[in-house]
Amino acid sequence: MTAKRKKLIIVLAVVAALLIALFVWIAWGNTALELNTYTITSDILPEAFDGYRIAHVSDLHNAEMGDDNEKLLAMLREAEPDMIAITGDLIDSRNTNVEIALQFIREAVKIAPCYYVTGNHEARVSEYGEL
């Protein structure tokens, strides 16, 4: 085997490894749940907000974290929020399944009051009014 051929094989192997790593990272990033906690302090917030917990959910794109989003719902229950802010893209406009989004909402409102703002994916579909 020539040195040039060995170098080509090594380059192709590195490129293949990088592509596999990128694919795994993208797949994980689209299905990973992450719980971050931030404490906000401000003299201008009313005292009623002392200890107030807001859970923020965004960009699910019809993903299901466990059966009927049970992993996500369990994480929300564990966080014990006073409210849940859902900021758009519950659905994926290219592969719309409104029932997944609605099932998540039906369960989320049992945890805490939910406030929902539609995203660009919702705006693209005929089911916008239903959402």
Side-chain angles (χ1 to χ4, degrees), residues 30 59-63 88-98 100-101 120-122 124-125 127 131:
N30 284 336
D59 295 289
L60 289 178
H61 295 278
N62 278 133
D89 294 348
L90 281 175
I91 63 164
D92 186 330
S93 61
R94 294 175 298 270
N95 186 21
T96 302
N97 186 337
V98 173
I100 292 172
N120 62 311
H121 282 261
E122 286 87 358
R124 295 179 191 152
V125 299
E127 295 91 350
L131 291 166

Side-chain angles (χ1 to χ4, degrees), residues 52-55 81-86 105 107-116:
Y52 196 83
R53 300 175 63 90
I54 301 171
D82 294 295
M83 69 166 275
I84 301 172
I86 303 166
I105 296 295
E107 295 303 315
V109 298
K110 295 176 185 175
I111 298 169
C114 293
Y115 298 88
Y116 173 53

Side-chain angles (χ1 to χ4, degrees), residues 58-91:
S58 186
D59 295 289
L60 289 178
H61 295 278
N62 278 133
E64 287 188 275
M65 312 299 175
D67 292 335
D68 293 327
N69 271 311
E70 188 49 46
K71 288 181 182 179
L72 174 57
L73 292 163
M75 184 179 280
L76 287 170
R77 283 185 207 98
E78 182 181 323
E80 298 180 336
D82 294 295
M83 69 166 275
I84 301 172
I86 303 166
T87 56
D89 294 348
L90 281 175
I91 63 164

